[in-house]
């Protein structure tokens, strides 16, 4: 995967900017609030996904402009391709994110998922280590959705049934045939849930080897990272477990087992990272994971995703920075920074971002 050129119009604080990135490392530097993360975000949108910052699509359009455009030339699946992404406001004739790929209108941007692939590190992802289990489940689900198109459909089915079941549990006494309905929901949840948990466990099994190797190198062999999936049932037994939990679920008024109750545990040299990891160690865990996620995608699809690393070097010691800088030069990588001095050791292409404009530095 290689981004050759990108032009951004009326996007966040960028009225118009265009640049041709380096084949390996591209450094976007500038003072706070100038548009570095905005540029990284505009590259991420080419994946068809929504912004990694959350929020509404409309917030992406430059204030006062009717719509925003991100246009890119990239090399993928052994050919040069072109993608034009438009972001329209609620009242525009083409609302939301829409994609035109190689001249053909593909409708909603989500439909081009898998065409241009990227892995993003955004400082908020540090919450993966110390935050709630939901964030860790989401990390796995997002990665699996990009790799296996069928995963999203099963996930949606599971989530829908779960919502219905929880609604039933809240109205149980007032609902006729509630017992039979609950059983039908449990059958549906068991079928989809077994598949989701199995996929997550298989994925994590491979990911953890790669992440452990990354972490070992990042810490120059001083610390080790281990990961373990914590399932809520034994394979093949989700239906039985849900049946056994019936009275507990009626008390709790929610479904008590299945992929929505599971978690991933990170261990740093045997200790819980959730409890003990320092700032730099949390950052190292997330980076080790993100690099592993990209390597897994490369194995499955045959193409290494573009790496987008927002403010990645802060809090890391000299050794960890050096290791990352070496890794950044292997694959096409975009980094943002307020202080380009660390990158002077690399032969990355340097661009200055100032008030939404970009200049070769
Ligand atoms: N829809 C929008 N229209 C106009 N400006 C916007 C819009 N959305 C965000 N901005 C502005 O974009 C500016 C730059 O944001 P960005 O997050 O890219 O900065 P940055 O260069 O990454 O800064 P930092 O070094 O602090 O991370 C912010 O000041 C913000 O107010
Ligand atoms: Mg930023």
């Amino acid at each position: 995967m290689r981004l050759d050129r990108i032009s951004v119009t009326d996007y966040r604080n960028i009225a118009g900017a265009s640049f041709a990135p380096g084949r390996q490392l591209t450094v976007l530097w500038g003072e706070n609030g100038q548009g570095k993360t905005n540029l990284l975000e505009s590259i991420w949108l080419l994946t068809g996904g929504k912004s990694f910052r959350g929020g509404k699509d409309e917030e992406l359009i430059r204030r006062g402009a009717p719509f925003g455009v991100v246009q890119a030339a990239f090399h993928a699946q052994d050919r040069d391709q072109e993608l034009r992404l438009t972001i329209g406001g609620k009242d525009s004739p083409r609302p939301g994110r829409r994609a035109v790929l190689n001249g053909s209108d593909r409708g909603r941007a989500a439909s081009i998922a898998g065409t241009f692939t990227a892995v993003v590190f955004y400082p908020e992802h540090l919450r993966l280590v110390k935050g709630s289990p939901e964030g860790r489940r989401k990390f796995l689900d997002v990665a699996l959705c990009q790799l296996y198109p069928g995963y999203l459909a099963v996930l949606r089915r599971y989530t829908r049934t779960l919502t219905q079941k929880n609604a039933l549990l809240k109205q149980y006494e007032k609902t006729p045939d509630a017992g039979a309905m609950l059983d039908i929901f449990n059958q549906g949840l068991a079928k989809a849930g077994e598949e989701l948990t199995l996929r997550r466990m298989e994925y994590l099994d491979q990911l953890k080897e790669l992440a452990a190797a990354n972490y070992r190198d990042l810490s120059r062999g001083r610390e080790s990272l281990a990961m373990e999936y914590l399932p809520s049932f034994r394979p093949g037994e989700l239906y039985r477990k849900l049946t056994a939990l019936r009275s507990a679920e009626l008390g709790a008024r929610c479904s008590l087992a299945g992929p929505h109750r599971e978690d991933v545990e990170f261990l740093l040299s045997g200790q819980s990272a959730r409890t003990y990891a320092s700032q730099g160690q949390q950052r190292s865990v997330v980076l080790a994971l993100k690099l592993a996620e990209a390597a897994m995608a490369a194995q499955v699809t045959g193409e290494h995703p573009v790496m987008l690393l927002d403010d990645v070097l802060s809090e890391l010691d000299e050794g960890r920075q050096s290791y990352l800088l070496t890794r950044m030069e292997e694959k096409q990588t975009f980094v943002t920074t307020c202080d380009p001095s660390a990158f002077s050791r690399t032969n990355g292409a340097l661009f200055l971002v100032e008030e939404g404009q970009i200049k070769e530095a």
Side-chain angles (χ1 to χ4, degrees):
M1 189 66 51
R2 191 185 71 226
L3 181 63
D4 290 325
R5 168 160 284 282
I6 182 162
S7 303
V8 182
T9 312
D10 288 337
Y11 182 85
R12 297 252 193 213
N13 73 333
I14 305 163
S18 180
F19 74 107
R23 289 208 160 202
Q24 278 101 19
L25 178 61
T26 296
V27 183
L28 303 170
W29 77 282
E31 293 175 0
N32 296 134
Q34 300 303 305
K36 304 180 297 293
T37 304
N38 293 345
L39 277 169
L40 214 61
E41 184 186 40
S42 71
I43 300 175
W44 170 258
L45 289 194
L46 301 171
T47 63
K50 54 186 288 185
S51 165
F52 50 76
R53 291 203 249 204
K56 299 193 193 87
D57 286 343
E58 278 156 62
E59 294 163 14
L60 305 173
I61 306 166
R62 191 164 70 94
R63 270 188 292 279
F67 57 89
V69 184
V70 182
Q71 192 150 5
F74 63 98
H75 189 87
Q77 291 96 30
D78 290 323
R79 63 201 171 101
D80 291 328
Q81 306 203 45
E82 279 198 6
L83 178 58
R84 184 184 160 85
L85 205 93
T86 52
I87 307 136
K90 262 206 307 274
D91 306 321
S92 90
R94 281 168 66 83
R97 287 173 293 114
R98 326 224 7 136
V100 176
L101 181 63
N102 301 317
S104 90
D105 191 342
R106 303 291 292 269
R108 289 177 47 206
S111 69
I112 55 148
T115 312
F116 179 87
T117 55
V119 166
V120 61
F121 169 87
Y122 182 56
E124 236 168 75
H125 294 149
L126 293 171
R127 283 215 304 255
L128 256 178
V129 181
K130 299 219 171 185
S132 68
E134 193 182 356
R136 290 181 286 279
R137 291 193 293 264
K138 194 166 168 209
F139 168 74
L140 293 178
D141 288 340
V142 169
L144 282 159
C145 282
Q146 284 204 32
L147 287 185
Y148 309 105
Y151 188 86
L152 179 62
V154 183
L155 184 63
R156 284 197 174 136
R157 190 158 10 104
Y158 182 84
T159 312
R160 204 169 45 233
T161 312
L162 185 66
T163 311
Q164 291 170 331
K165 175 178 165 181
N166 287 343
L168 173 69
L169 286 170
K170 288 190 177 69
Q171 300 280 322
Y172 198 79
E173 289 74 19
K174 292 185 221 145
T175 312
D177 288 329
M181 273 170 78
L182 186 60
D183 191 55
I184 291 172
F185 289 149
N186 281 344
Q187 287 176 31
L189 286 177
K191 189 158 183 283
E194 295 266 1
E195 190 174 339
L196 295 177
T197 297
L198 183 69
R199 283 272 191 193
R200 285 185 190 166
M201 289 178 83
E202 283 173 356
Y203 180 73
L204 199 78
D205 253 1
Q206 294 185 339
L207 190 79
K208 70 181 181 192
E209 303 295 332
L210 296 165
N214 290 336
Y215 197 95
R216 193 187 49 234
D217 295 345
L218 197 49
S219 66
R220 281 146 298 141
R222 290 193 200 148
E223 297 161 14
S224 65
L225 169 67
M227 279 190 269
E228 205 186 333
Y229 193 76
L230 307 174
S232 60
F233 61 93
R234 282 200 291 272
E237 295 197 353
L238 181 53
Y239 176 69
R240 202 179 316 163
K241 178 138 190 187
L242 289 172
T243 309
L245 281 169
R246 180 170 293 210
S247 59
E249 289 187 340
L250 282 170
R253 306 270 166 194
C254 65
S255 192
L256 294 176
H260 70 292
R261 306 279 290 195
E262 300 177 342
D263 199 356
V264 181
E265 184 172 41
F266 299 123
L267 295 170
L268 279 186
S269 307
Q271 303 269 2
S272 158
R274 192 174 183 185
T275 318
Y276 295 109
S278 72
Q279 305 268 80
Q281 285 173 326
Q282 286 175 62
R283 188 170 282 260
S284 305
V285 170
V286 177
L287 284 167
L289 273 178
K290 295 281 173 177
L291 293 170
E293 180 191 350
M296 278 281 289
Q299 280 177 18
V300 175
T301 67
E303 203 134 28
H304 199 284
V306 168
M307 303 299 295
L308 307 172
L309 309 176
D310 193 32
D311 195 13
V312 75
L313 293 185
S314 38
E315 294 167 345
L316 294 181
D317 59 40
E318 187 75 26
R320 289 180 200 224
Q321 291 198 1
S322 299
Y323 169 75
L324 266 182
L325 289 168
T326 330
R327 288 289 301 260
M328 285 177 195
E329 288 193 294
E330 292 165 9
K331 304 287 185 302
Q332 194 182 34
T333 304
F334 295 79
V335 287
T336 67
T337 184
C338 300
D339 171 17
S341 61
F343 296 94
S344 59
R345 287 175 269 156
T346 68
N347 53 14
L350 194 60
F351 293 92
L352 175 66
V353 183
E354 212 169 33
E355 292 180 7
Q357 305 215 353
I358 186 160
K359 297 171 203 152
E360 203 144 353

